[in-house]
Amino acid sequence: MDLNASSVEDYISKVPEDKRSAIIRLREIIRQNIPQGFTETLNYGMIGYVVPHSIYPGGYHVDPKLPLPFINIAAQKNFIALYHHGVYANPDLLQWFKNEYTKLPLNKLDMGKSCIRFKNTEKIPFELVETLVSKMSVQDWIDLYESQLR
């Protein structure tokens, strides 16, 4: 869903009403729990949390002009997406997340490589997301990212 936003606040204002409160809550959880050093931005047409060039001057290898992405949240047509690149790159973190998710009384996990899809905004495991977001520091992410490039 392309919301054609110019800022994070503009993005939120354009999210459909049925998804807006969940996006706001996810944003608050991430902002309160993400380790120091990541910054919030609008990237790839979504709310993003990135390693800024001031910390990682090389930027994202696909386009070095962009900061290194870490987490994104987006309102899509049929779901809310949480993109967590650490889950994609770290098999132990992925397994931890899957194990914790199965302990919850929720629908089956709907997940791609880094995209966790929440089709029902009433069944987003906010506490689990809170823990997931806090598990990787900026340096942990940089180290893991660089190890994947080798």
Side-chain angles (χ1 to χ4, degrees), residues 26 48 109 127-128 137 144:
L26 281 170
L109 179 61
E127 290 180 6
L128 180 57
S137 72
L144 181 59

Side-chain angles (χ1 to χ4, degrees), residues 22-150:
I23 287 288
I24 289 169
R25 186 155 177 212
L26 281 170
R27 179 186 184 215
E28 289 172 357
I29 286 169
I30 293 169
R31 288 171 56 124
Q32 291 171 3
N33 294 283
I34 198 165
Q36 188 173 10
F38 293 103
T39 59
E40 182 181 71
T41 188
L42 191 68
N43 67 346
Y44 298 103
M46 303 176 273
I47 300 171
Y49 299 87
V50 301
V51 181
H53 284 104
S54 60
I55 294 175
Y56 193 70
Y60 186 37
H61 74 280
V62 174
D63 184 351
K65 291 178 282 192
L66 296 175
L68 179 60
F70 180 55
I71 295 175
N72 289 83
I73 52 175
Q76 304 293 359
K77 182 178 179 180
N78 296 313
F79 56 89
I80 289 179
L82 171 70
Y83 299 90
H84 191 294
H85 298 283
V87 166
Y88 173 68
N90 183 330
D92 293 336
L93 185 60
L94 173 61
Q95 193 57 54
W96 170 85
F97 181 79
K98 287 179 175 180
N99 289 344
E100 293 303 309
Y101 190 93
T102 61
K103 295 176 186 177
L104 302 172
L106 299 171
N107 298 334
K108 182 181 173 193
L109 179 61
D110 185 358
M111 186 173 180
K113 290 182 179 180
S114 71
C115 178
I116 305 162
R117 293 176 284 273
F118 303 112
K119 291 180 182 166
N120 183 341
T121 59
E122 301 296 316
K123 294 191 173 190
I124 296 174
F126 292 108
E127 290 180 6
L128 180 57
V129 171
E130 180 179 324
T131 303
L132 174 63
V133 165
S134 69
K135 283 193 163 286
M136 193 173 286
S137 72
V138 167
Q139 193 58 56
D140 292 339
W141 173 229
I142 291 169
D143 293 344
L144 181 59
Y145 172 75
E146 289 181 343
S147 76
Q148 299 293 310
L149 290 177
R150 291 186 202 120

Side-chain angles (χ1 to χ4, degrees), residues 5-20:
S6 60
S7 68
V8 172
E9 290 73 21
D10 187 34
Y11 181 91
I12 291 170
S13 75
K14 293 178 177 179
V15 169
E17 190 66 37
D18 63 323
K19 293 179 177 73
R20 189 172 304 142

